[in-house]
Amino acid sequence: MKQRPRQPFVPPRRDDTVRQELTALLREEDLTAWELSGLVGISEKEVLEHLEHLRSALHGRLDMTPSRCLECGFSFQKRERLKKPGRCPVCRSERITDPSFTIG
Ligand SMILES: [Zn+2]
């Protein structure tokens, strides 16, 4: 049995390409990770990883509209993480909006 070639096929999309697509979309409008996932065709988790990278690469030009609790209106202003919080610290509700992103 011959050894497999090290790179049997080119991955469907390189990170750079995905980041360019995400950047282009975010320059146009304000989108959530879930929406970006559908538009670019990668998982929400992957979108968040790319956004983390873009956040540092763009030196703060990635703007985040914070998550908000639909029960009490609490806004997660100080949250640094890009992922949606699981639960409201004030009322314990799990009805929380997704943060959305845009590039200013
Ligand atoms: Zn709440």
Side-chain angles (χ1 to χ4, degrees):
M1 192 80 177
K2 277 174 90 174
Q3 212 182 356
R4 279 187 179 192
R6 257 183 297 171
Q7 291 181 314
F9 43 73
V10 178
R13 260 184 282 181
R14 295 178 54 235
D15 284 357
D16 287 353
T17 317
V18 172
R19 283 175 194 153
Q20 277 166 17
E21 284 181 36
L22 292 172
T23 306
L25 287 163
L26 292 172
R27 285 212 166 101
E28 295 296 318
E29 51 187 326
D30 198 73
L31 294 160
T32 65
W34 185 80
E35 288 167 329
L36 287 165
S37 143
L39 288 164
V40 179
I42 57 176
S43 73
E44 204 172 335
K45 183 171 170 287
E46 286 172 303
V47 168
L48 290 169
E49 286 166 8
H50 286 301
L51 289 177
E52 284 284 1
H53 176 95
L54 284 174
R55 180 162 65 171
S56 49
L58 292 168
H59 307 292
R61 282 190 296 131
L62 179 73
D63 287 327
M64 175 162 85
T65 302
S67 296
R68 198 170 56 82
C69 173
L70 291 170
E71 291 293 334
C72 74
F74 176 79
S75 175
F76 292 73
Q77 297 279 1
K78 287 189 180 154
R79 189 177 165 88
E80 284 292 314
R81 292 179 59 202
L82 302 177
K83 196 170 180 284
K84 172 175 143 173
R87 193 179 278 268
C88 175
V90 177
C91 73
R92 298 284 168 213
S93 168
E94 292 177 17
R95 292 179 61 217
I96 290 165
T97 63
D98 283 357
S100 61
F101 307 94
T102 189
I103 293 172

